[in-house]
Amino acid sequence: MTPSPSAPFNYAEEGATRRHPLPGGYRHLHEATYLGHGRAVLEAAGEAVATFRMHRAAGVRVRASAAKAAPGVAVVCDLGLGPARLPAPCRVVWSEYGSERIGFAYGTLTGHPQRGEESFVVEMRDDGAVWFTMTAFSRPGRWYTRLAGPLVPAFQRLYARHCGRTLRRLATGPR
């Protein structure tokens, strides 16, 4: 089940992962991982992010209304393991496909366990170093994520680091 393209966001600060500072009243996440060096790494990593390949390789089941992230694309990420997976409906808020920066952000929709936004950006810096940055702001959106308390941000940080390692492998491994 992919959410309707018109399903409402469950938070008000749409697009805020593109601006700094992040909005108040949320937990913030900013995790950067060095991926490698050069245009080939940027392009491989950018493609893996934009097509949700990084998510899938990191163990997340992803259903999307398009093959590539673009504003308005509906996405459902199934979080958890085995039969204990929870659907997390989102919609892409913004995307960027530049010569030095590739990425997107999705925002949570009604029914998502959290409220907020998460961005996934691959960037080549002036020295040719390629970095992946995951930025998010979130707060509990359901009773069970409120009950989980401090475990949720700890899980988000571990997941961000796992995504970085996964993306490094995808971008620098054999093609």
Side-chain angles (χ1 to χ4, degrees):
M1 161 209 135
T2 304
S4 160
S6 62
F9 287 107
N10 66 2
Y11 68 104
E13 299 84 358
E14 182 182 331
T17 52
R18 224 178 195 173
R19 302 180 294 277
H20 291 284
L22 294 173
Y26 293 89
R27 291 183 180 118
H28 297 167
L29 171 76
H30 183 83
E31 192 70 35
T33 304
Y34 174 74
L35 300 179
H37 200 84
R39 181 130 329 259
V41 172
L42 172 74
E43 290 173 1
E47 182 70 13
V49 165
T51 61
F52 310 104
R53 182 173 173 227
M54 176 198 70
H55 287 76
R56 291 181 178 107
V60 176
R61 289 185 192 163
V62 176
R63 294 170 304 226
S65 63
K68 195 169 187 178
V73 170
V75 180
V76 175
C77 296
D78 288 333
L79 308 174
L81 301 170
R85 289 184 181 263
L86 296 170
C90 304
R91 186 169 51 249
V92 176
V93 176
W94 61 262
S95 63
E96 183 174 341
Y97 297 102
S99 62
E100 311 298 320
R101 185 176 155 94
I102 301 167
F104 74 94
Y106 50 48
T108 59
L109 302 177
T110 301
H112 193 290
Q114 293 286 100
R115 293 176 183 268
E117 197 170 288
E118 196 163 44
S119 70
F120 310 89
V121 175
V122 178
E123 179 177 34
M124 186 163 66
R125 298 188 180 161
D126 291 341
D127 65 356
V130 179
W131 287 81
F132 167 67
T133 304
M134 199 163 143
T135 302
F137 61 92
S138 64
R139 62 181 172 224
R142 307 294 290 256
W143 66 268
Y144 49 85
T145 49
R146 278 190 295 282
L147 187 64
L151 295 176
V152 174
F155 171 75
Q156 288 173 322
R157 187 160 310 287
L158 288 171
Y159 176 64
R161 291 176 181 165
H162 177 62
C163 284
R165 288 189 303 273
T166 299
L167 190 56
R168 184 185 306 127
R169 180 178 47 78
L170 293 172
T172 61
R175 291 186 182 87

